Amino acid sequence: MLDTVLDALRTGTRARGGPLPAGGPDAVAARTRAALGDVLPDHGDPRALHTLVTALAAGSADPADPLCAAHLHGPPLAVSAAADLAASVLNPSLDSWDQAPAASALEALVTHALAREAGHADALVTTGATESNHLALLLARETRGPATRLVHGANAHHSLPRAAWLLGLPDPVPVPTPAGTLDPAALDNTLARLPGPGHTAIVAATAGTTDAGLIDPLPDIADICARHGARLHIDAAYGGGLLFSDRHRARLTGLDRAHTIALDLHKLGWQPIAAGLLTVRDPTDLTALRQRADYLNADDDTDAGLPDLLGRSLRTTRRPDILKIAVTLKTLGRTGLGTLVDHVQARAQDLARLVDARPALDLYAPPPLSTVLFRPAGAPDPAVAAVRRTLLTEGRAVLGRARADGRLWLKATLLNPHAGPGDLTALLDLVEGHTPR
């Protein structure tokens, strides 16, 4: 089964010899500028497609390279990439039924099925967690009122307080997370001290932090929100992929008790960007998004049975991102997707063990998801940062960075199921070989 699933990920080869173009930003910009030439020439160039796609490929981070491990940016499934191309060619727009008859039906079927996976009633397609988190706060404001206050852990994604600012909500209330996850006792105390009734608060919990992949204690947080009458949103953009895994699904216990959930299938779903979702427990919350534009959803057309799509997004023109998701679900099934999730989880455990066995490296903690934090032992933070930038400039490896325990750590996010023991060893050899002694 694993070999069959892995074959679906073979979208490219490692022809360049590294996951990133060498030379750093200036060199890449110069090569791109040379390939582009005149942006709008008087006479067109019939080789422009070949020239610019070649330049883009040569100058891109290669998510199919096992040493491209900085971010939640994985190699897309081949079937998903093919479906994405078909969507571009057909070019349906999901703002009115007459522009997207089959796509609108497909979206309704697939979003309801994915919402049920999370224990919810409905879901909207978004461009990712930033849009999903924004939508979640908007729905909270419309159901609870403009005094709704965001309460979030210090570990929360930056898009949440930014969404509160964009929506004109009161200043968010951050809750310290010294252990990396939202502490239920601290949350309880924070909600008890908020001015006004507790039902004006929306608590944002996280299932898979960006820095370390940590999962907040969801059942305890849901209990506290229920006791205070607070609304609960869970940002599961990273960890939501565990829903496909029989082995790891239980770690998301309590997810269904949220009012809204952010999911990103371009992370642990191996979709081409973008493939986000916002699920809702109560579909009546979505009435806040209803809009009327006579040229798109006139009352008589809706009364006659034409689906009204404007209330399915804050966007008007929308491409059918649901197609690639539907193709993936149908092609791999629950078992196939679960196999990929389990495999990258296992690779992260392998990398952690390799780090732990090297005296020259320090491991932050056993990885809860597929993210491993490590650093050269005894190195000051500037040296750790320099190691990462040197590897980036040379194009040898793409590692992220994260702060934990008051120190800077290198971050390896393993989303490539093709990464094997040799690749993991090579990554650590590069870090050790580029650390000043």
Side-chain angles (χ1 to χ4, degrees), residues 286-311:
L286 298 180
T287 58
L289 300 180
R290 287 180 180 167
Q291 292 287 316
R292 184 66 64 195
D294 194 63
Y295 76 106
L296 295 174
N297 60 347
D299 288 337
D300 58 320
D301 279 349
T302 302
D303 291 343
L306 295 185
D308 179 358
L309 304 182
L310 277 189

Side-chain angles (χ1 to χ4, degrees), residues 149 151 173 175 183-201 203 224-225 227-230:
R149 174 160 284 180
V151 177
V173 181
V175 180
D183 176 57
L187 174 63
D188 194 16
N189 183 57
T190 299
L191 290 175
R193 294 185 173 194
L194 279 184
H199 68 262
T200 60
V203 173
I224 291 166
C225 288
R227 187 158 63 247
H228 288 275

Side-chain angles (χ1 to χ4, degrees), residues 265-281:
L265 295 183
H266 50 249
K267 295 181 173 68
L268 284 177
W270 293 276
Q271 298 301 291
I273 297 167
L277 295 157
L278 178 75
T279 73
V280 293
R281 190 172 70 189

